[in-house]
Amino acid sequence: MFADVVLARRIEAAEAGLTREVAQAVRAKGEREVLMRPLGGLGVGVWIGGSPFDKVIGWGFGDPEAENAGLRAFEDAVRSREGAVQLELSTLADLSRADALIARGYTLVGVENVLGMRLDRDALSAPAIEVRRARDDEGDAWIDAVVTGFEHPDSGPAAAHETFARDALVQVFHDIASATGYRRYLATHEGAIAGGASLRVHRDEHGAIAQLAGAATLPAHRRRGVQSALLRARLLDAVEAGCALAVVTTQPGSRSQHNAQKAGFALLYTRLVLVRS
């Protein structure tokens, strides 16, 4: 599978839409202050304070003047609250503007890979381990499985550029559950919960994209095919939901990337993660 700028814009728009919806959900609760700024084009900047969704996403694809003005306003708002701005820049965006970011104090702290796969129902096989949609009354069990799995990450050559306390992860999974098209899954092995994952169906003028996220296996159940089963089940569900494309973001060289590529995903592009403290 090949990714051009048009496809990258579509994927980044889906990610920006999810980030925006999470910020709106947190704001609606009225318990925490939420900064959310449009940045011109498809980009958005969000700062909640200590959340994985504290980021600028979708920047670098639009008009430079409008995007730069939006980013500076967002930076000022975050800095007034003594926060840091994290910007995730696609390598298919306008990278000529990265030098200006670095000159203004941004530092490269990590990278993440975006992989994609064209979906074909006939090419997908059923998972070998039982995977099902989590019931409404299993929200806490799903969060516990995913967060516990995240607390014990897979080893890989590139460590994650940020880590979060358990309470923060529990909170963000509560926040994201209200996003449009969001679905939660549980895998079971020998009658016990072995892992969890999620899928968001994002619809745009071109069709539907399956955004795969939140996949984690409990340490005691690893190396038994749980991740692969969660992946296959979600891809089958995505096809039934009308998705022709699935995307997933992974740490370079991670077990998650290995499983995705084994299932047929191809590396589309990378995001540079830049932070201005």
Side-chain angles (χ1 to χ4, degrees):
M1 182 178 177
F2 173 76
D4 57 12
V5 174
V6 174
L7 181 59
R9 283 179 58 91
R10 189 180 173 204
I11 294 171
E12 295 298 285
E15 187 69 22
L18 176 59
T19 302
R20 190 179 295 110
E21 285 201 26
V22 171
Q24 290 169 343
V26 176
R27 178 180 285 173
K29 293 179 181 179
E31 299 172 353
R32 290 172 285 168
E33 181 184 21
V34 177
L35 291 176
M36 181 170 60
R37 299 281 191 277
L39 303 177
L42 57 89
V44 64
V46 165
W47 187 83
I48 303 169
S51 168
F53 285 92
D54 290 351
K55 61 183 175 181
V56 171
I57 187 72
W59 189 88
F61 289 93
D63 176 70
E65 184 175 349
E67 287 192 327
N68 288 337
L71 179 60
R72 288 181 181 275
F74 179 68
E75 289 172 348
D76 290 343
V78 173
R79 288 172 62 194
S80 70
R81 292 160 175 81
E82 300 183 348
V85 176
Q86 176 171 299
L87 188 150
E88 299 180 5
L89 180 64
S90 166
T91 50
L92 290 178
D94 184 0
L95 288 182
S96 67
R97 295 156 62 187
D99 286 343
L101 295 175
I102 293 171
R104 283 166 47 205
Y106 280 86
T107 302
L108 180 67
V109 298
V111 296
E112 56 188 29
N113 289 336
V114 179
L115 297 91
M117 178 181 179
R118 298 291 182 189
L119 296 178
D120 178 0
R121 177 65 179 83
D122 293 336
L124 298 173
S125 59
I129 292 175
E130 181 184 357
V131 177
R132 58 178 174 77
R133 293 271 294 273
R135 301 188 306 267
D136 290 343
D137 63 350
E138 292 180 311
D140 289 341
W142 178 84
I143 288 176
D144 181 68
V146 175
V147 171
T148 301
F150 280 173
E151 287 181 317
H152 301 84
D154 291 332
S155 60
H161 58 271
E162 57 186 347
T163 57
F164 297 93
R166 183 180 180 89
D167 288 349
L169 291 173
V170 169
Q171 183 63 61
V172 78
F173 282 119
H174 276 296
D175 297 336
I176 200 175
S178 62
T180 303
Y182 192 77
R183 307 176 181 194
R184 300 176 295 185
Y185 300 81
L186 285 170
T188 57
H189 180 257
E190 296 180 349
I193 292 175
S198 61
L199 160 71
R200 179 185 182 240
V201 177
H202 172 81
R203 303 189 186 277
D204 59 21
E205 65 272 21
H206 303 289
I209 297 176
Q211 295 172 273
L212 306 182
T217 303
L218 291 171
H221 296 275
R222 289 181 179 167
R223 307 299 182 261
R224 295 175 179 173
V226 174
Q227 281 284 335
S228 295
L230 287 165
L231 181 58
R232 290 178 184 276
R234 286 178 293 164
L235 293 178
L236 287 168
D237 211 9
V239 170
E240 296 301 322
C243 298
L245 170 67
V247 295
V248 63
T249 301
T250 71
Q251 289 296 312
S254 65
R255 188 74 183 179
S256 294
Q257 180 172 342
H258 170 81
N259 289 334
Q261 291 190 272
K262 186 177 179 180
F265 280 80
L267 178 61
L268 301 181
Y269 57 88
T270 296
R271 293 192 188 111
L272 308 179
V273 182
L274 302 128
V275 171
R276 184 181 184 187
S277 299

